Amino acid sequence: MKIFSQFQAFLSSVLLLFDSSGKAQKPENLSALNNLRDLLFADNLTEKWASTDNKYEPWTSFLRAKSFMDANQNEEAIRVLNEIMAMDDLESRHYLQASHALRQLGVKDDNQPVLYGVVVEVGMTKGGGYDLLAAYTDHSARYYNYSGSGIIWEYPDDSLNKEIEAVLQHGRAILPKIGLWENPRPAPVKKDIIRLNMLTSHGLTFGEALMDVMYADPVGSGLTKASVALMMALVKKGG
């Protein structure tokens, strides 16, 4: 398939940006990449998120919520988490983290699911690693290469808004077609697999397939192509 071949060629060129030898390589510390992956999903209220080193909101509220949860004071934890959800202009991942913790405490959200972000995982054919692309409704974005390099976009301007919005719009279109994932978040993808993760106020929704299959899929192809366009734009910014 021509589009898929172009995608493979582009991936190869991107890898060369981060590895001048052009040889397949495993990340020096795959656990570090896995930790970065966890932060993209914002679905685990640990010390990584409830930081004692940050004295500003919403970090201090997350710390209080976690302390209440650890002490089994669930009503107090729910109150604090709802206060976080009511805060204006937070990073999208803060809302994801708070809503996830509320679900852990048994709080049901009867509203329509809100999409806060999309995370795309691509398993590399060579090297044993995977690439990560993330886009959020606050117009931040991340690209982490399997080699361990990455590009972080914290919305310094609106020059990537078009590409980010395209990813989010395709993600919203997929939501009604795929049910929520009720189990723990899956492990990272294996080689040649692409996984499209939609991060919502109700939890995780995803679809995965071989890359050529996803490119031909009427549901997933639009998001896949939009993700490639965003990745290309991020690489240019990082170049």
Side-chain angles (χ1 to χ4, degrees):
M1 184 177 297
K2 183 178 180 181
I3 294 176
F4 179 57
S5 298
Q6 291 173 343
F7 178 58
Q8 287 182 310
F10 173 71
L11 275 181
S12 298
S13 66
V14 169
L15 297 184
L16 289 174
L17 292 173
F18 296 98
D19 177 14
S20 59
S21 70
K23 297 178 181 178
Q25 61 179 32
K26 293 184 180 180
E28 292 182 2
N29 187 354
L30 185 57
S31 65
L33 183 60
N34 291 339
N35 287 337
L36 289 171
R37 177 177 179 266
D38 289 342
L39 293 175
L40 295 181
F41 285 87
D43 59 2
N44 190 9
L45 187 56
T46 65
E47 285 75 10
K48 295 177 185 177
W49 214 269
S51 173
T52 58
D53 297 328
N54 198 317
K55 306 303 180 184
Y56 302 97
E57 291 289 7
W59 305 104
T60 53
S61 289
F62 276 117
L63 180 60
R64 287 192 295 129
K66 185 177 185 304
S67 297
F68 284 133
M69 291 171 70
D70 290 343
N72 292 319
Q73 298 180 29
N74 291 350
E75 289 187 5
E76 288 299 311
I78 290 170
R79 177 182 61 79
V80 174
L81 291 166
N82 279 324
E83 289 174 357
I84 294 172
M85 292 298 296
M87 294 179 184
D88 294 327
D89 301 322
L90 297 182
E91 292 182 25
S92 301
R93 290 184 299 159
H94 289 313
Y95 296 121
L96 282 167
Q97 187 68 81
S99 61
H100 178 80
L102 285 167
R103 290 193 304 276
Q104 285 184 309
L105 293 170
V107 177
K108 185 178 180 181
D109 185 354
D110 293 324
N111 298 310
Q112 289 295 312
V114 176
L115 180 74
Y116 287 116
V118 172
V119 175
V120 178
E121 305 173 70
V122 179
M124 295 293 99
T125 300
K126 298 179 180 179
Y130 57 93
D131 278 11
L132 291 165
L133 178 80
Y136 300 97
T137 52
D138 58 11
H139 292 111
S140 64
R142 306 276 192 279
Y143 170 57
Y144 294 122
N145 181 264
Y146 84 113
S147 68
S149 300
I151 300 168
I152 296 174
W153 181 259
E154 293 289 12
Y155 189 36
D157 56 53
D158 61 3
S159 59
L160 291 184
N161 281 16
K162 178 181 177 181
E163 290 83 358
I164 291 172
E165 280 297 330
V167 170
L168 296 172
Q169 287 173 9
H170 283 291
R172 292 188 187 98
I174 290 175
L175 279 182
K177 302 174 183 178
I178 305 178
L180 282 173
W181 180 252
E182 303 290 349
N183 298 313
R185 171 163 46 89
V189 292
K190 303 299 183 182
K191 81 172 182 177
D192 294 332
I193 297 294
I194 181 170
R195 182 183 296 152
L196 310 176
N197 300 279
M198 276 62 69
L199 315 184
T200 82
S201 55
H202 288 192
L204 174 65
T205 294
F206 73 88
E208 67 176 45
L210 290 169
M211 285 190 284
D212 55 345
V213 174
M214 188 66 80
Y215 253 90
D217 183 79
V219 175
S221 61
L223 176 52
T224 305
K225 295 169 187 176
S227 299
V228 172
L230 175 56
M231 181 174 66
M232 292 174 66
L234 282 167
V235 169
K236 288 181 181 178
K237 291 290 185 181

